[in-house]
Amino acid sequence: MTTAKTAVSEANQRYFKAPVFAVAPMIDWTDRHCRYFHRQISRNALLYTEMVVADAIIHGPRERLLSFDGTEHPVALQLGGSDPTKLAEAVRIAEPYGYDEINLNVGCPSDRVQSGTFGACLMLTPETVAECVAAMKKVANVPVTVKCRIGVDEQEPEEALPTLMTRVIDAGADAIWIHARKAWLKGLSPKENREIPPLDYDIVYRMKARFPDVFIGINGGIQTLDEAEGHLAHVDGVMLGRAAYQNAAILSDIDHRFYGAPAAEPDWNALRDRMMVYAAGHIAAGGRLQHIARHMVGLFTGLPGARRYRQILSTDAAKPNAGPEVIAAAFAAVDFSGAAEAASA
């Protein structure tokens, strides 16, 4: 019988109300421009930052690392690290920026992360993860959550996963997101770790049955909203990563399917106009259109004109002095008559 706390924290009750649909944190992808774009398509999806290392926040360019547009809410900051003191300091520094959640990465298998003894390798030291969560909880004014794998290397997930979960729940974690694959710390690249280890959704379902009062979300290999809806019969939240990034139109049906909003056709022209205004502001501040346009390339996958749309955003947006008119030209290439079908695919 687990010794984990069964009482849901006040923060959990206030913030994590199932169902929750989230776009996964993805290094080099879910930056603030990506999140702003995604927020224009869904008002309710929970968005995550890229993983930001605690040391970078403490010693690096805080404004660049932590600032975001206020329209991105709800938005969570994902931290990387294994030193409780440093993670607590990073939480203190991030607090004025107003994130809705702080998430600890216990799932990234990259060599860069392993060299810092954090990410997925923390699955091997659940007591360290618990110490980190406890330190973060002491200073956080928002929910503190954990995103993990089901195990690493030769670990037996049926033992490793509940051990980690019990520790972090007792330390005060408000929610746990589980990528339903093992991670292999040696021999597989990060990309291979997202594809080769077999998915085991059932173990995540069993963890929800074992910890019924804890918010548990599932991640890994989920491609469609129908699949997401199926998972929500067993767990509290579902998280899509590359499927949502590479075909962002899928987000246009999130508010209706998972948050009770009235069904409505997406207003792609309004999206175009908002992104053009946002791009103009970014360029005026010294940025480049390419910083924004690269996240929009997969928006109309499967529609007539999508290939030309991608060409314009990939090529013309990268040119020196490219302006918001490139976005208008790209949208003009698309036949929107099949957009609703693409969004629900």
Side-chain angles (χ1 to χ4, degrees), residues 21-24 26 29 38 194 219-225 227-228 239-251 298-299 301 342-343 345:
F21 180 96
V23 178
M26 292 175 281
W29 288 13
H38 285 172
R194 294 191 298 268
N219 172 230
I222 304 167
Q223 298 296 316
T224 69
L225 298 190
E227 291 177 28
M239 179 181 279
L240 267 67
R242 279 150 184 81
Y245 186 93
Q246 293 167 348
N247 180 18
I250 198 173
L251 299 176
L299 177 59
T301 298

Side-chain angles (χ1 to χ4, degrees), residues 68-73:
F68 63 93
D69 191 283
T71 62
E72 292 177 34
H73 292 290

Side-chain angles (χ1 to χ4, degrees), residues 36-332:
Y36 181 89
F37 170 54
H38 285 172
R39 179 57 69 225
Q40 307 315 303
I41 307 174
S42 168
R43 292 175 60 88
N44 295 289
L46 175 58
L47 305 180
Y48 281 80
T49 70
E50 305 170 86
M51 181 185 66
V52 185
V53 178
D55 273 330
I57 292 174
I58 295 169
H59 303 294
R62 299 172 183 177
E63 187 66 18
R64 181 174 65 80
L65 292 171
L66 295 173
S67 64
F68 63 93
D69 191 283
T71 62
E72 292 177 34
H73 292 290
V75 59
L77 170 65
Q78 187 181 68
L79 294 178
S82 58
D83 183 314
T85 302
K86 290 181 178 180
L87 284 164
E89 180 61 17
V91 171
R92 287 193 194 95
I93 293 168
E95 192 275 331
Y97 289 86
Y99 285 95
D100 298 289
E101 171 198 337
I102 307 294
N103 178 267
L104 180 62
N105 184 313
V106 189
C108 181
S110 76
D111 291 341
R112 181 174 59 178
V113 167
Q114 289 182 55
S115 67
T117 61
F118 55 95
C121 62
L122 285 173
M123 295 289 301
L124 298 168
T125 56
E127 64 282 357
T128 299
V129 183
E131 291 169 4
C132 292
V133 168
M136 294 162 70
K137 284 289 293 184
K138 285 181 180 178
V139 298
N141 295 316
V142 295
V144 172
T145 68
V146 171
K147 187 172 187 289
C148 65
R149 294 281 184 135
I150 62 173
V152 296
D153 297 342
E154 301 298 335
Q155 282 186 322
E156 172 50 59
E158 294 288 354
E159 297 176 2
L161 184 56
T163 296
L164 175 74
M165 292 178 65
T166 299
R167 293 266 194 164
V168 300
I169 293 166
D170 284 341
D174 294 292
I176 301 173
W177 290 94
I178 304 171
H179 185 147
R181 283 188 174 97
K182 267 190 173 184
W184 290 92
L185 302 178
K186 301 296 181 185
L188 293 182
S189 69
K191 181 178 185 297
E192 290 170 332
N193 261 304
R194 294 191 298 268
E195 299 170 352
I196 293 177
L199 287 158
D200 186 353
Y201 295 133
D202 286 342
I203 193 172
V204 183
Y205 302 163
R206 291 194 293 276
M207 293 303 103
K208 178 58 189 177
R210 184 166 178 171
F211 302 94
D213 295 321
V214 178
F215 181 102
I216 294 177
I218 196 167
N219 172 230
I222 304 167
Q223 298 296 316
T224 69
L225 298 190
D226 286 343
E227 291 177 28
E229 199 159 9
H231 288 298
L232 288 172
H234 305 279
V235 294
D236 303 302
V238 63
M239 179 181 279
L240 267 67
R242 279 150 184 81
Y245 186 93
Q246 293 167 348
N247 180 18
I250 198 173
L251 299 176
S252 66
D253 203 30
I254 296 301
D255 297 344
H256 169 59
R257 292 190 66 165
F258 302 110
Y259 294 94
E265 290 293 326
D267 189 339
W268 299 117
N269 289 332
L271 172 65
R272 174 201 63 205
D273 294 345
R274 289 194 298 270
M275 293 310 300
M276 289 176 68
V277 170
Y278 179 77
H282 177 63
I283 292 167
R288 298 185 60 189
L289 179 64
Q290 187 179 28
H291 300 157
I292 298 165
R294 72 184 185 97
H295 301 299
M296 302 173 62
V297 170
L299 177 59
F300 297 120
T301 298
L303 292 186
R307 181 178 179 184
R308 179 59 183 149
Y309 169 87
R310 291 192 297 270
Q311 288 174 337
I312 292 171
L313 286 186
S314 299
T315 304
D316 293 355
K319 293 178 180 177
N321 302 317
E325 68 278 357
V326 173
I327 296 175
F331 272 66

Side-chain angles (χ1 to χ4, degrees), residues 12-33:
N12 192 313
Q13 292 174 331
R14 182 176 67 250
Y15 184 64
F16 288 101
K17 295 181 179 179
V20 171
F21 180 96
V23 178
M26 292 175 281
I27 293 175
D28 297 326
W29 288 13
T30 53
D31 63 17
R32 58 183 175 177
H33 305 307

